[in-house]
Amino acid sequence: MTEKIGVLGKKPAQRTGVERIVNAPLPTVYGEFRAVGYLDHDRGDEQVALVHGEIGAENVLTRLHSECLTGDAFGSQHCECGDQLASALRAVAAEGSGVVVYLRGHEGRGIGLLAKLRAMALQAEGLDTVEANLALGLPVDARDYGVAAGILHDLGVNSVRLMSNNPRKREALTRHGIEVTETVPLLIPPCESNITYLRTKRERLDHHLPHLDAVAHLR
């Protein structure tokens, strides 16, 4: 099948950025949301923003949540991702309005599911999460938040109160034209299975996790 050629024999321009595809009601155990679906033309990923209530342009309570199959779907205690997602959805519902942008393609801080599982296997042998990625020849954090900013722009959001412990998210949104007026901590009580992971995030990835000081007894 031959490719269609446009005017003057030129190929049609390829689309870039994010495109809104669908807006559907999504009743959840946390409350009523709208699932606004997007296509990322640059990477081919399908993305979704969960919107609760009538959001304005300024100071919108917002979570950028990186996809984590093991934590979000399987309830893994290796990380705190599933609990963070649930807490963010509850917080948005309690606020009366807000957005949770669920970022697909961010599995394992951007290295993918199988690579993340390989890194977890190395962590079980004694490496921390940073050392494991490097041992596999992979970046420590390969995530990009340009798509998240594009989604927020499309939703009419100019500034956010960002639910995050990760300063890199704040910096990334600011670079992409979204003002962060406040960082709202999203602190999950640690357990024995994830305390080492969380301490590594604080000590090596600069996450703000002051609540870990109260659980020095966990190893």
Side-chain angles (χ1 to χ4, degrees), residues 7-9 13 20 33 40 46 49 64 92 98 100 127 140 158 182 214:
V7 179
L8 300 178
R20 186 191 296 205
F33 286 80
D40 174 2
E46 296 173 336
L64 309 184
V92 164
V100 175
L127 299 187
V140 172
N158 297 325
E182 180 186 359

Side-chain angles (χ1 to χ4, degrees), residues 166-190:
N166 183 358
R168 290 183 176 87
K169 287 186 181 180
R170 179 179 192 138
E171 294 163 4
L173 279 184
T174 300
R175 283 197 307 273
H176 289 287
I178 300 291
E179 181 185 1
V180 180
T181 57
E182 180 186 359
T183 300
V184 180
L186 200 57
L187 305 177
I188 305 300

Side-chain angles (χ1 to χ4, degrees), residues 4-219:
K4 290 183 179 179
I5 303 298
V7 179
L8 300 178
K10 294 181 180 179
K11 293 181 181 179
Q14 196 150 13
R15 294 200 62 162
T16 60
V18 292
E19 178 188 5
R20 186 191 296 205
I21 302 298
V22 64
N23 186 340
L26 185 71
T28 77
V29 295
Y30 309 102
E32 296 289 330
F33 286 80
R34 290 184 288 121
V36 187
Y38 292 86
L39 178 60
D40 174 2
H41 287 284
D42 296 315
R43 295 173 56 96
D45 293 325
E46 296 173 336
Q47 306 287 5
V48 64
L50 299 183
V51 180
H52 178 72
E54 295 300 321
I55 59 173
E58 310 299 335
N59 301 317
V60 178
L61 186 63
T62 300
R63 166 74 178 164
L64 309 184
H65 189 85
S66 294
E67 176 183 28
C68 176
L69 179 68
T70 50
D72 299 340
F74 302 150
S76 168
Q77 290 191 320
H78 182 269
C79 62
E80 83 278 43
C81 299
D83 287 334
Q84 283 190 317
L85 177 59
S87 294
L89 291 167
R90 280 195 294 266
V92 164
E95 179 85 1
S97 66
V99 181
V100 175
V101 181
Y102 193 86
L103 292 163
R104 304 186 68 205
H106 276 204
E107 189 78 55
R109 297 196 301 276
I111 64 175
L113 177 60
L114 295 183
K116 182 180 84 168
L117 294 176
R118 292 171 65 199
M120 288 170 61
L122 291 177
Q123 289 170 64
E125 296 175 3
L127 299 187
D128 67 31
T129 182
V130 171
E131 293 165 344
N133 280 32
L134 294 176
L136 293 170
L138 298 170
V140 172
D141 193 336
R143 292 174 292 182
D144 179 83
Y145 297 98
V147 168
I151 288 171
L152 291 173
H153 282 302
D154 177 76
L155 293 171
V157 175
N158 297 325
S159 67
V160 298
R161 292 157 50 224
L162 183 65
M163 288 184 282
S164 180
N165 309 317
N166 183 358
R168 290 183 176 87
K169 287 186 181 180
R170 179 179 192 138
E171 294 163 4
L173 279 184
T174 300
R175 283 197 307 273
H176 289 287
I178 300 291
E179 181 185 1
V180 180
T181 57
E182 180 186 359
T183 300
V184 180
L186 200 57
L187 305 177
I188 305 300
C191 63
E192 290 188 7
S193 298
N194 65 24
I195 186 63
T196 298
Y197 171 78
L198 292 175
R199 285 178 177 144
T200 301
K201 286 175 73 171
R202 180 172 73 169
E203 294 161 11
R204 304 196 64 179
L205 299 174
D206 299 323
H207 287 221
H208 187 59
L209 300 169
H211 66 312
L212 300 186
D213 294 334
V215 289
H217 62 282
L218 288 179
R219 292 289 181 265

